[in-house]
Structure formats: structure tokens, C-alpha cells
Amino acid sequence: MANLKSLAKDTMIYGMTGMLGRFLNYLLVPLYTATIKAASGGYGVITNIYAYTALIIIILTFGMETTFFRFSNKDNEDPKAVISTSLLAVTGVSAFFVLLVFLLLPWLAPAMGYADHPSYIWVMAIVVALDAVQSILYAYLRYLHKPIKFASLKFAFIFLNIFLNVLYFWLFPTIYKNHPGWVSSIYDPDIGVGYAFYLNLVCTGLVTLLFWKEFKSIKYKIDWQLLKRMLEYTWPLLVLGIVGILNQTIDKILYKFIDPSENGQVQLGIYGAACKIAMIMAIITNAFRWAYEPFVFGKSRDKDNRETYAAAMKYFIIFTLLAFLMVVAWIDLLKYIIGPDYWEGLKVVPIVMAAEIMMGVYFNLSFWYKLTDKTIWGAIFSFTGCAVMVIINLVFVPRFGYMACAWGGFVGYGVTMVLCYIVGRKYYPINYPLKDIGIYIGLAVLLYVASVLIDWGGSFENVVYRTLLMLVFVAVLMKKENVMEKMVEFKRRHQKT
């Protein structure tokens, strides 16, 4: 139980960082969708470019975050050598990538559909390279149990990025309309959505400099034998990472090729904006991941680890289901995160959230092959799920548009999750409380169906009704988990100490 409390504490710190950070980043969504009309397709450009960067950063880090935690917790490895080797390896690959992008830019930009804006490509190439280097440094902070600095650097980027975006997407354009001479030296309306990428580069570069203490503390030397062992461990993680992120982004990458028309770009922007509301699940799963990964590897030698993993899985599912019902209940309020031009895409939100829950469950299940060094299985699972998703997109997007993207993710993650569980029962069996989990899932599905079948005719009435349904879930949770009794017991023990 003490270990679960430690996990909960770290999850709270990293979770608040992730949740508040993602919430603050959400301020960019209403900003972009209010200033970039859906019909222009501009938000489709942002959605498409960031889908590429999400894929590329997986390639540039090639699983080194997880590998760093695995090797830094091995008895026969030197943690200092591990961080040095990890950082230098990722930095070298990232530098080579940037050089390659500049050399191939004349061919790359037209192939991606941005012949008129090649700067979008090279700017984001530098951004993603810096992000890859930062990912190892953030992992190092987590290893050192420095959540405060972790959070401070995350927020430094977020606040600076929001501030500059408000200037260039709202304040400067407003001033330019009436007094163009005042800001013409620092603002050009023809750049448009390009500012989203250029400002990202400025913020990422400045935050990288704030890691100067970590840069100074590391003794830079590559242990080639160590690197060889790390690469043997990490290459399946790279494969599963690529395929895993493709499960999240392939629809946004393929859409531009499946429907290259202007309307296709518009529809992609609507889908991308609606998905932002569903990303509350990504906030929760990422917060859990940041705390859970070092926790699992640090606890891998304990005797009671499997019991702890089973309990963690149950509570993860409970709280993600609660978050699902919360978003469904308040969708009439949350829709104002995006501009009215994009509201037609709200129908994908429950589907995308359900897919995110299954991705989180898969992440929890996946530790069996990481702890047993059988990471090849992760690549197989992820590849299978991705193949399912690609097929669904290619077959059904031309007919059903972005709805096929949403359902493709749902089915793809479902296949991946089920395969991981079935094979994991053989190699690393964990007695998950399936009965309890099934009860919570069944209740959540029942309440969701009740929320969509009855429409009270007004936003206020619907919010109240759906909130009451959500509270039914909370009441069952508190009763079944004896929450009140545990709180009384905790208070009693606290008073004694």
C-alpha cells in the first residue's frame, strides 16, 4: 500500500503538471479555431504537421526513455554512464536528422504537400530534434525524483508559447487592421499559420537552454558496449513506438493523401480540433505513464509487484472511465474550447476517448514484455493494431470521412490491447481483478447510453442530467471501494501520528 501511495503522490505531481499544462495549451485551441476559420483549412495544416512531428520524435528518441529507466535500475550498470550514453546517442541521431532534412528539403516539401511553405518543414525538424534531446533530460529529472524542476520547465515552455501565440494570432492582427505601421516590422499577416511553427521553435530553443545545469552535470562519454546492450533492448521499443504513434497519427497523415482536396484539408481541421476535447484521456494516461514507468522498473525486484500492478490497473481504469463520463456530461460546455465552425466534429469525441482508454490499458499491460526483456512482442502487437487502423482508414475514409478515422483508432487499439493481454497471460501472468473492472466498464457503458438516448432539449438540462448520471458512477465507486471507511481510517491514523 505504501508503494501505491508513492505512485499516487508522483502521479499527482506529474499529473497536475500534465493536466494543467494541457489545459493551458488548450488555450491555443480556441485561439486558433477562433482566428483560423475552418473553411480556410489552416487548422488542417497545423493538425497535419504536428502529426508528422509526433511520429518523428518517436524515431529520434528510439525508445531511449524507457531504456534509460531499465538500465539505470540494473545492479550491474552505472547510471551516470547510462544517462551520458543515452543523451549523446539521441543528440547524434537528432543532429543527423536535421542535416538530412535540409539536404532533402527541395524534394521533401513538395512530397508532403508544402512546396509553397518549405519553412514549415525545416522549422519543425529543428523543433522535434530539440524535443528529442529534451525527452532524455526530462527522463533524467524523473529518475532523480525532481518533479518540481520537471514541472517548472514544462510550464516555462507553455506560458511563453501561449503568450507569443496570443500576440501573433490575436493582438498583432487586431492592431494591424487599424494601424499596420505600428507592428509591420514584427508581424506579417501573410505568414498566417506559419507563426504556430516559428513560435514553437523560439520557445523550444529557450527552454532547452534552461537545462544548462543538467548539461553541466553530465560527464559526456559514450560507453559503446553499454550502447550496444541498450540498442539490443530498445530496437523493438522503437518499432512498437513508431507503430504506436502511427495508431495516434496515421489518420491525420493519411487524410491529406486520401483526400487531397481543399475540402479534405477543411475536414481534417475539424477532426483535429474535435480530437483536442477528447485528449483529456491522453492527459491522464501520460500523467500515469510519467510516474508509473520509473515506479515499475524500480520495483521490479520486489516480491509483491504483480499484486501492485493489478491494483494500479483497476484504479487507472476507474478514473479514466470517470473522466470519460465527465467529458460526456459537460460536452455542451467543453465544446466552447473550439470555435463554432468546428462543432460538427464533436461526434467523434466519445469514440476517440474510448480509444485513448484502451491505449492506456495497453500501456499498463505492456510492462510484462518490458520487464521480461521480450520487447519484440510490443512491436508485434503495435504493428497488428496499426495495420488494422490503416486498412480501416484506406477503405472507409473516402466514404465516411473522419468518422472512419475515429473508429479506426478504436478498433486498432482494441486489437492491440486484447493481444497484449492474451500473450501476457503466458509469459507474465497477473491476476487482474477482472470482475471488478468488468462491473465498472459495464456501468460506464450503461450510463453513457442513457446520456445519449435522452435529450432534454437544452444545454443546461442536458448538463444537469448527464452530471447526475456521472454521480451515479461516483456513488457506486465510493460504495464498492469503501471510500468513506478508508478516509476515516486514514484520518484516524493521521491523528495518532
Side-chain angles (χ1 to χ4, degrees):
M1 184 58 68
N3 288 308
L4 281 176
K5 289 180 179 179
S6 175
L7 173 62
K9 179 182 177 182
D10 284 352
T11 301
M12 180 63 68
I13 296 174
Y14 291 118
M16 288 303 295
T17 301
M19 292 178 72
L20 183 57
R22 187 63 67 93
F23 172 76
L24 292 171
N25 269 326
Y26 270 162
L27 296 178
L28 294 178
V29 178
L31 177 66
Y32 288 154
T33 56
T35 58
I36 304 171
K37 296 300 180 182
S40 71
Y43 197 73
V45 173
I46 294 176
T47 300
N48 183 249
I49 292 290
Y50 277 106
Y52 279 107
T53 60
L55 170 62
I56 293 168
I57 195 169
I58 295 297
I59 298 173
L60 298 186
T61 54
F62 51 95
M64 271 295 176
E65 291 174 272
T66 299
T67 304
F68 165 75
F69 283 118
R70 176 59 173 162
F71 278 76
S72 60
N73 283 284
K74 282 189 173 183
D75 293 332
N76 59 336
E77 301 291 357
D78 179 8
K80 293 181 179 179
V82 174
I83 180 59
S84 174
T85 301
S86 301
L87 184 59
L88 288 174
V90 170
T91 301
V93 171
S94 299
F96 176 75
F97 165 74
V98 172
L99 176 62
L100 198 62
V101 167
F102 274 98
L103 292 175
L104 298 178
L105 192 60
W107 298 274
L108 191 60
M112 294 175 63
Y114 297 103
D116 295 334
H117 301 284
S119 61
Y120 295 176
I121 308 303
W122 67 259
V123 165
M124 291 310 294
I126 297 175
V127 168
V128 77
L130 292 176
D131 280 340
V133 174
Q134 286 186 19
S135 70
I136 302 300
L137 295 170
Y138 277 121
Y140 189 40
L141 291 178
R142 288 158 58 199
Y143 171 78
L144 296 175
H145 299 291
K146 292 184 176 181
I148 302 302
K149 182 160 188 179
F150 180 98
S152 298
L153 293 176
K154 290 286 185 180
F155 285 136
F157 172 84
I158 291 167
F159 284 119
L160 181 59
N161 194 36
I162 291 174
F163 173 72
L164 292 177
N165 272 274
V166 168
L167 289 181
Y168 279 87
F169 280 91
W170 176 70
L171 184 59
F172 290 166
T174 301
I175 295 174
Y176 188 88
K177 288 180 181 178
N178 300 315
H179 306 283
W182 290 8
V183 294
S184 58
S185 61
I186 56 175
Y187 172 75
D188 182 355
D190 292 335
I191 293 178
V193 297
Y195 279 119
F197 311 125
Y198 304 147
L199 297 178
N200 195 331
L201 176 59
V202 172
C203 298
T204 303
L206 291 175
V207 171
T208 302
L209 297 177
L210 296 179
F211 280 101
W212 65 272
K213 285 188 177 180
E214 284 66 39
F215 281 121
K216 286 180 61 178
S217 68
I218 297 171
K219 295 182 179 179
Y220 295 99
K221 181 181 178 181
I222 290 185
D223 184 329
W224 294 103
Q225 291 300 317
L226 171 62
L227 180 60
K228 180 180 178 181
R229 295 193 299 273
M230 294 176 77
L231 291 177
E232 289 173 352
Y233 177 86
T234 200
W235 77 261
L237 293 180
L238 169 61
V239 176
L240 73 90
I242 291 174
V243 181
I245 200 65
L246 282 174
N247 281 328
Q248 301 177 52
T249 62
I250 192 63
D251 50 353
K252 301 173 184 68
I253 293 174
L254 286 178
Y255 208 100
K256 191 176 179 65
F257 297 101
I258 297 174
D259 186 357
S261 67
E262 290 185 8
N263 182 62
Q265 193 82 341
V266 171
Q267 294 300 305
L268 177 58
I270 292 172
Y271 174 60
C275 285
K276 292 296 184 181
I277 298 178
M279 284 301 102
I280 189 171
M281 286 303 166
I283 297 172
I284 294 174
T285 53
N286 281 337
F288 194 83
R289 174 179 179 270
W290 288 331
Y292 198 46
E293 196 164 52
F295 168 82
V296 167
F297 286 122
K299 188 174 168 57
S300 59
R301 292 183 291 269
D302 293 355
K303 294 182 179 179
D304 66 336
N305 55 1
R306 300 192 192 203
E307 181 180 345
T308 302
Y309 300 157
M313 171 69 87
K314 184 180 79 168
Y315 291 118
F316 171 80
I317 292 175
I318 288 172
F319 288 112
T320 51
L321 290 174
L322 180 58
F324 175 89
L325 293 173
M326 186 181 300
V327 173
V328 170
W330 299 341
I331 192 67
D332 286 335
L333 301 176
L334 293 173
K335 69 182 182 181
Y336 289 100
I337 291 174
I338 60 179
D341 288 358
Y342 299 84
W343 286 356
E344 68 175 78
L346 292 175
K347 54 184 174 287
V348 307
V349 172
I351 305 169
V352 176
M353 283 197 300
E356 287 288 338
I357 291 176
M358 289 190 288
M359 183 184 74
V361 172
Y362 169 65
F363 173 79
N364 281 270
L365 293 170
S366 69
F367 277 98
W368 72 258
Y369 61 72
K370 295 176 183 176
L371 291 171
T372 57
D373 294 345
K374 297 182 182 296
T375 48
I376 185 63
W377 279 108
I380 294 172
F381 301 146
S382 294
F383 179 81
T384 303
C386 184
V388 170
M389 186 175 180
V390 169
I391 292 171
I392 291 175
N393 274 262
L394 292 176
V395 173
F396 295 107
V397 164
R399 182 176 177 183
F400 298 103
Y402 56 74
M403 287 300 296
C405 297
W407 281 111
F410 180 91
V411 177
Y413 281 131
V415 169
T416 303
M417 176 186 68
V418 171
L419 288 177
C420 187
Y421 174 76
I422 292 173
V423 179
R425 294 293 296 171
K426 175 181 178 182
Y427 290 100
Y428 198 87
I430 296 177
N431 294 320
Y432 294 109
L434 298 181
K435 182 179 178 181
D436 288 347
I437 291 173
I439 290 173
Y440 287 120
I441 293 175
L443 177 60
V445 171
L446 181 64
L447 294 174
Y448 169 69
V449 171
S451 72
V452 297
L453 286 181
I454 300 178
D455 187 342
W456 292 91
S459 295
F460 176 77
E461 292 84 352
N462 283 331
V463 168
V464 172
Y465 167 63
R466 293 166 183 168
T467 300
L468 291 175
L469 292 177
M470 179 187 69
L471 292 178
V472 170
F473 185 89
V474 174
V476 173
L477 167 63
M478 295 183 69
K479 177 66 175 178
K480 187 170 177 56
E481 299 299 322
N482 299 315
V483 174
M484 296 305 297
E485 291 85 346
K486 291 178 180 178
M487 290 178 65
V488 171
E489 178 65 18
F490 175 80
K491 183 177 179 179
R492 185 182 63 81
R493 291 182 180 180
H494 181 70
Q495 289 175 340
K496 283 185 176 182
T497 58

